[in-house]
Amino acid sequence: MSCHHSSNRNGDEKQTGFVNIQEIQLIDELKGKGLFAKKNINKGDVIFEETPIVSTQFLWNELYKYKACEYCMKSLETAEEQAWRLSTNPHLSLPHPECDITDQTPYVDCPGCQVTYCCELCRKMACDEYHQVLCMGPSRLSEDNDHPLARLQETWRNIHYPPETSSIMLIVKMVALVKQAKDKSSVLQKFSQFVKNTVNEEDEIVHKLLGKQFQEQLELLRQMTADFIFEENVSKWFTPEGFRSLFALIGTNGQGIGSSSISVWVKNCEDLAIPDEEKEQLDAFIDQLYEDMDKVSGTFLDCEGSGLYLLQSTCNHSCIPNAEITFPNNNHKLVLVAKENISQGEEICTCYLSECDVTRSRHSRQKFLKENYLFTCGCVKCLSEADQEDVTSEEDEEEEDDME
């Protein structure tokens, strides 16, 4: 199988519904916190489930008609409908339709701006948490929408072309959550738990979103965000340094969310108990489907949005992780699953790289992790490859261009 639908990176324990089998521990001042097993965990076990403090669909995906619930990011089109759109082939028929779990219950719109939600509960949750501040009203659907939020979104799209790795909307929703909250200190306390260093001072590495080439763009985004949604309780967020810290927070802690109907259909197809010959044919069909969609839609295939998860953000990286992030419910609920048996006291690690990218050279992996997460990986795989030359092959350079 080719590298399809994996999306990796950065949770509240009260949301899991599981007996805690993990605990957060301080490793050291350099590495910070980590997540460790409180008991033996078997391969395939669910370590925890978690919904984000805040999540958002990528703005380019929204512009290109990715239909998703504004609150939980649940995909609002069937796997076959999504395949039609992404491949521009309306005659495509997906085998094993029983593997598509898309709920076709009628959807609910915000009465003010017509933003779509998968259900009344999601509409109410959004309204109660942040949407009263962000609702653009009837202007959202007008051709000449000049709402301050619409202008900010357009500016972001012009600055951050696909593939998106973060979104200005995470910052906007963070401010809106504080603005609407009755208990503002509780919301602020959650956000304070995320790492938000703008630079790794030891290696003098600046996060890629904060380089000198972006200074003017960041200042423009800061001014536009302040003009739209300034909040006195977080006035420090709107200073130049505070805004840089917010960008570092969403850049280093933002978790890509894979809520694609096709991804769920593929995963369910992989779990089918069918004869080997039929399995090979199905794998070939899926490979060809992704190839066809990639030709048409390319950079829109990786993931659908981004979110901030408190518990998951404490998981450190390894190029050979013992746990993986999944989105089996076709929405923003993250499920961490053990990839291997994990012993009591062992650190639980995920991989911040995609399935494809983790196979690249040590130098390429290190370069990506430094630029995006401000650290030098010291996992077993990287240490075992320490004698490799610090050069990047032509193939890796091309792939790095795609990743960036």
Side-chain angles (χ1 to χ4, degrees):
M1 295 281 286
S2 60
C3 299
H4 296 323
H5 52 284
S6 181
S7 59
N8 298 300
R9 236 234 134 262
N10 277 17
D12 196 345
E13 289 186 70
K14 65 179 172 34
Q15 298 168 338
T16 65
F18 289 86
V19 175
N20 288 340
I21 58 175
Q22 77 290 315
E23 63 182 354
I24 300 168
Q25 297 178 13
L26 179 67
I27 299 173
D28 54 46
E29 288 191 8
L30 181 62
K31 196 170 183 181
K33 295 180 292 188
L35 198 67
F36 292 80
K38 288 174 66 174
K39 54 179 283 188
N40 291 338
I41 301 172
N42 296 322
K43 179 179 179 179
D45 283 354
V46 171
I47 300 171
F48 63 77
E49 292 184 357
E50 176 177 35
T51 55
I53 300 175
V54 61
S55 63
T56 185
Q57 186 181 29
F58 286 145
L59 290 172
W60 277 105
N61 286 10
E62 182 181 352
L63 186 69
Y64 277 78
K65 308 302 181 186
Y66 265 62
K67 299 175 183 176
C69 174
E70 194 280 329
Y71 184 78
C72 77
M73 290 184 57
K74 176 181 177 180
S75 182
L76 301 183
E77 56 189 348
T78 66
E80 195 164 77
E81 288 170 342
Q82 197 167 70
W84 292 343
R85 178 169 54 77
L86 293 175
S87 67
T88 63
N89 179 4
H91 305 295
L92 190 63
S93 178
L94 298 187
H96 298 285
E98 71 276 11
C99 291
D100 183 5
I101 63 169
T102 309
D103 185 358
Q104 291 294 284
T105 304
Y107 307 130
V108 180
D109 291 338
C110 166
C113 65
Q114 304 303 303
V115 160
T116 303
Y117 298 94
C118 67
C119 62
E120 176 59 24
L121 178 60
C122 278
R123 187 204 65 77
K124 186 176 187 308
M125 294 281 282
C127 184
D128 290 347
E129 291 178 17
Y130 58 80
H131 190 66
Q132 293 175 50
V133 175
L134 303 184
C135 183
M136 287 189 261
S139 64
R140 176 178 167 269
L141 298 178
S142 65
E143 290 185 11
D144 56 345
N145 184 2
D146 198 38
H147 190 282
L149 180 55
R151 293 201 303 270
L152 178 61
Q153 292 174 337
E154 178 64 19
T155 300
W156 172 261
R157 282 195 295 266
N158 289 333
I159 290 172
H160 201 317
Y161 294 102
E164 287 180 270
T165 55
S166 190
S167 177
I168 189 66
M169 287 304 297
L170 283 178
I171 292 178
V172 169
K173 284 188 175 182
M174 287 171 67
V175 179
L177 280 167
V178 176
K179 193 176 277 286
Q180 280 195 211
K182 293 178 181 177
D183 183 0
K184 299 184 189 301
S185 62
S186 175
V187 176
L188 290 171
Q189 195 274 333
K190 289 182 179 180
F191 289 133
S192 71
Q193 296 179 54
F194 290 100
V195 175
K196 48 187 173 185
N197 294 334
T198 59
V199 61
N200 181 328
E201 294 178 0
E202 185 167 303
D203 296 329
E204 294 187 349
I205 303 164
V206 177
H207 191 275
K208 73 172 190 178
L209 290 177
L210 303 173
K212 290 182 179 179
Q213 69 272 32
F214 297 123
Q215 285 181 358
E216 290 185 9
Q217 296 171 332
L218 276 173
E219 179 58 20
L220 175 60
L221 289 170
R222 183 183 74 84
Q223 292 174 357
M224 295 182 74
T225 305
D227 289 344
F228 165 55
I229 198 172
F230 181 81
E231 165 60 36
E232 185 63 40
N233 289 279
V234 287
S235 57
K236 63 183 180 181
W237 288 0
F238 295 96
T239 64
E241 183 55 40
F243 200 70
R244 284 170 59 85
S245 291
L246 282 185
F247 257 86
L249 186 155
I250 64 173
T252 55
N253 294 279
Q255 162 63 47
I257 297 172
S259 57
S260 158
S261 296
I262 290 176
S263 294
V264 175
W265 173 79
V266 169
K267 176 64 173 66
N268 290 338
C269 283
E270 290 172 351
D271 294 338
L272 285 172
I274 54 178
D276 290 345
E277 185 177 347
E278 188 178 345
K279 184 79 163 100
E280 288 178 11
Q281 292 175 347
L282 181 57
D283 285 352
F285 177 90
I286 292 171
D287 284 340
Q288 186 61 52
L289 172 63
Y290 273 93
E291 192 174 312
D292 292 344
M293 292 190 301
D294 186 61
K295 288 176 184 176
V296 176
S297 305
T299 52
F300 291 99
L301 285 178
D302 291 337
C303 58
E304 287 64 55
S306 184
L308 294 175
Y309 296 80
L310 271 175
L311 186 56
Q312 193 277 335
S313 69
T314 65
C315 291
N316 286 312
H317 163 84
S318 171
C319 295
I320 45 172
N322 54 15
E324 65 179 340
I325 293 163
T326 64
F327 296 92
N329 301 297
N330 199 17
N331 60 18
H332 67 188
K333 180 182 280 188
L334 179 154
V335 179
L336 189 70
V337 179
K339 289 187 69 173
E340 311 290 345
N341 292 336
I342 303 173
S343 301
Q344 181 178 352
E346 185 179 347
E347 185 174 8
I348 300 167
C349 292
T350 59
C351 184
Y352 301 175
L353 304 167
S354 72
E355 259 180 65
C356 299
D357 299 322
V358 77
T359 62
R360 294 161 48 196
S361 71
R362 173 182 177 271
H363 179 67
S364 295
R365 299 195 310 270
Q366 298 270 3
K367 182 175 183 290
F368 178 81
L369 292 168
K370 284 179 180 179
E371 290 177 348
N372 289 272
Y373 302 109
L374 303 178
F375 72 91
T376 300
C377 183
C379 73
V380 173
K381 181 174 182 177
C382 284
L383 291 176
S384 70
E385 297 172 353
D387 58 347
Q388 287 186 357
E389 277 189 272
D390 281 346
V391 295
T392 308
S393 66
E394 290 182 14
E395 181 179 317
D396 278 337
E397 285 175 355
E398 290 175 6
E399 290 178 351
E400 279 178 8
D401 288 341
D402 291 340
M403 285 178 69
E404 293 167 4

